[in-house]
Amino acid sequence: MNITELLIDLQARHDEATVQAGELRGQIEHFTTALTESEARLADLATTRKVIVELAPPGTESEPPASNSAYQAIVHAFNQRPDQAFRVRELHELLGLPTDDPNMNVTRSRLGRLTRQGFLTQPGRGRYQKQT
């Protein structure tokens, strides 16, 4: 291969990389726009939820706690052991759920909701038991 052929091959590779870089920039622009729109939608939904919660009369809930399978599993566990108080970690172990902090925080929120609805009580800090 002589120098001229090498330069022609190098230019062809450069042109291909330039086209690919342009396509990737287009995809980045598309995804950036889509991400911005999704984040705006999430913010709108969070604001809507906050307004509805503030306007709703105290003690009203839009759906029963057992409508979601996670809630069903929690309610079932407490129904099976109505006299037992659980910590979140114990409940996760019983249900075979991951015991990492983010997952347990979600369950804490669910347990808080069930407590506010009167299904559970808190006999001690971080402990939950079925309301009798």
Side-chain angles (χ1 to χ4, degrees):
M1 180 179 274
N2 64 34
I3 298 287
T4 304
E5 292 172 344
L6 183 60
L7 289 173
I8 290 171
D9 184 53
L10 184 60
Q11 184 62 46
R13 290 179 188 205
H14 181 270
D15 293 344
E16 288 174 16
T18 301
V19 168
Q20 184 180 20
E23 290 172 355
L24 291 172
R25 282 187 198 96
Q27 289 178 357
I28 289 171
E29 289 175 22
H30 168 75
F31 288 130
T32 300
T33 300
L35 177 60
T36 301
E37 291 170 358
S38 292
E39 287 174 339
R41 179 77 174 135
L42 285 170
D44 290 346
L45 291 169
T47 301
T48 302
R49 177 180 295 184
K50 184 177 178 182
V51 169
I52 290 171
V53 166
E54 288 175 0
L55 294 176
T60 60
E61 294 294 331
S62 60
E63 64 182 66
S67 66
N68 181 305
S69 62
Y71 280 104
Q72 288 174 345
I74 292 169
V75 168
H76 181 70
F78 281 101
N79 283 337
Q80 294 293 351
R81 297 160 189 82
D83 296 328
Q84 184 176 351
F86 289 99
R87 294 196 175 279
V88 176
R89 181 172 299 278
E90 296 166 346
L91 187 61
H92 268 241
E93 290 170 354
L94 175 71
L95 298 174
L97 299 172
T99 56
D100 57 298
D101 285 339
N103 282 308
M104 291 196 325
N105 286 337
V106 170
T107 300
R108 274 188 195 89
S109 296
R110 290 179 175 138
L111 293 172
R113 182 175 184 192
L114 290 168
T115 301
R116 288 188 303 278
Q117 291 176 335
F119 180 78
L120 299 178
T121 61
Q122 280 192 280
R125 182 180 167 151
R127 300 180 64 78
Y128 300 88
Q129 186 173 5
K130 183 174 179 180
Q131 176 75 28
T132 55

